[in-house]
């Protein structure tokens, strides 16, 4: 069963927040617990509301989404962060993912797709397709530098962890990975946990970014 979503909306435009609230408030598994106009008091906002997910604009006038995401990383049990962006113009997207965001959505994402994406994130699944991940990497980082760094990090993983990492980069769920690799779901979760701890990552999106750099030919 998908966990319930306790959602904090963070956007400097009140019309955007109002639209999101209208769109999401009718969902039985979504509880909008608070709103904020920027990330100035993001840690306090999360602590006061008990939010387990933050839907956050990247570009805000005071404390932007990147800075707010980085602040949330210091919490003992940080919420999932999903960024709102205009993809083609926003140069903070990749940095937000590297800071620990679970993914990003375009502001014109259809309501059904938005709701489905939030449910996927709260269940622990990434919301970036391999194609979007590759476009982000190519747009914002230097190929030689990131390949060298990724090779070193990927080499720290055991063969079993590498196989799971590649499957994560393909956008596969834990159950699908378990079926493909002939292991239990618990084993898949254990491998993912070890990868995150070993490399200092926060989520599956960062694993996908690593694999796209280190083993692009294995991501089908």
């Amino acid at each position: 069963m998908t966990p319930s979503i306790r959602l904090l909306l963070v956007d400097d435009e009140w019309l955007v927040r109002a639209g999101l609230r209208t769109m999401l408030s009718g969902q039985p598994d979504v509880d909008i617990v608070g709103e904020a106009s920027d990330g100035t008091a993001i840690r306090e906002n999360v602590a006061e509301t008990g939010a387990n997910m933050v839907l956050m604009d990247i570009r805000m006038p005071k404390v932007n989404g990147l800075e707010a995401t980085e602040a949330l990383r210091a919490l003992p049990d940080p919420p999932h962060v999903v960024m709102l962006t205009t993809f083609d113009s926003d140069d903070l997207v990749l940095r937000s993912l590297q800071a620990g965001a679970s993914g990003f959505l375009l502001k014109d994402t259809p309501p059904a797709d938005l709701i489905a994406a939030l449910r996927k994130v709260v269940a622990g699944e990434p919301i970036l397709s391999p194609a979007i991940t590759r476009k982000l990497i190519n747009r914002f980082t230097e190929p030689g530098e990131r390949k060298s760094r990724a090779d070193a990090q990927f080499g720290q993983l055991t063969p079993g962890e590498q196989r799971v990492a590649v499957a994560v980069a393909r956008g596969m769920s834990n159950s699908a990975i378990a079926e493909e690799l002939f292991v239990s779901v618990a084993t898949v979760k254990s491998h993912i946990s070890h990868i995150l701890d070993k490399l200092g990552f926060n989520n599956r999106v960062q694993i996908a970014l690593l694999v796209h750099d280190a083993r692009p030919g294995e991501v089908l």
Side-chain angles (χ1 to χ4, degrees):
M1 183 176 179
T2 303
S4 61
I5 300 170
R6 294 180 53 80
L7 186 64
L8 175 66
L9 302 175
V10 184
D11 195 294
D12 61 316
E13 296 184 37
W14 72 267
L15 278 175
V16 172
R17 298 199 307 271
L20 290 169
R21 177 176 285 278
T22 300
M23 184 190 310
L24 297 169
S25 59
Q27 301 302 311
D29 56 342
V30 178
D31 182 12
I32 300 177
V33 296
E35 298 182 15
S37 59
D38 69 19
T40 301
I42 190 65
R43 293 176 62 177
E44 292 81 358
N45 293 150
V46 168
E48 291 171 1
T49 61
N52 63 359
M53 182 179 294
V54 180
L55 186 56
M56 181 151 52
D57 189 15
I58 290 184
R59 292 190 180 278
M60 294 181 287
K62 295 181 180 179
V63 176
N64 64 40
L66 171 63
E67 296 167 319
T69 301
E70 291 174 336
L72 289 175
R73 288 183 64 179
L75 293 176
D77 185 22
H80 300 284
V81 177
V82 176
M83 312 302 293
L84 288 171
T85 181
T86 52
F87 178 78
D88 288 333
S89 64
D90 210 323
D91 61 358
L92 295 177
V93 173
L94 181 59
R95 290 171 59 197
S96 298
L97 296 177
Q98 292 172 328
S102 298
F104 75 92
L105 296 171
L106 300 178
K107 285 194 173 182
D108 60 357
T109 298
D113 293 344
L114 171 61
I115 294 165
L118 296 182
R119 287 172 177 156
K120 196 171 186 181
V121 168
V122 81
E125 303 292 344
I127 61 170
L128 289 181
S129 70
I132 293 176
T133 302
R134 171 49 48 195
K135 186 173 181 180
L136 283 170
I137 295 171
N138 288 341
R139 184 181 176 96
F140 297 123
T141 60
E142 293 297 326
E145 178 184 348
R146 72 170 181 266
K147 180 66 167 67
S148 176
R149 182 173 60 250
D151 282 341
Q153 290 180 305
F154 195 78
Q156 297 177 40
L157 306 180
T158 67
E161 291 167 351
Q162 290 179 355
R163 287 191 290 272
V164 168
V166 170
V168 167
R170 292 174 181 163
M172 298 173 66
S173 67
N174 288 346
S175 59
I177 295 172
E179 182 176 351
E180 178 171 286
L181 300 182
F182 301 102
V183 298
S184 67
V185 173
T187 297
V188 173
K189 290 181 178 179
S190 177
H191 278 318
I192 291 174
S193 178
H194 290 159
I195 294 168
L196 295 175
D197 290 342
K198 190 176 293 186
L199 301 181
F201 289 170
N202 297 93
N203 55 57
R204 297 165 70 108
V205 173
Q206 291 169 302
I207 296 175
L209 291 171
L210 170 69
V211 175
H212 274 273
D213 284 340
R215 297 291 189 273
E218 297 183 34
V219 183
L220 302 178

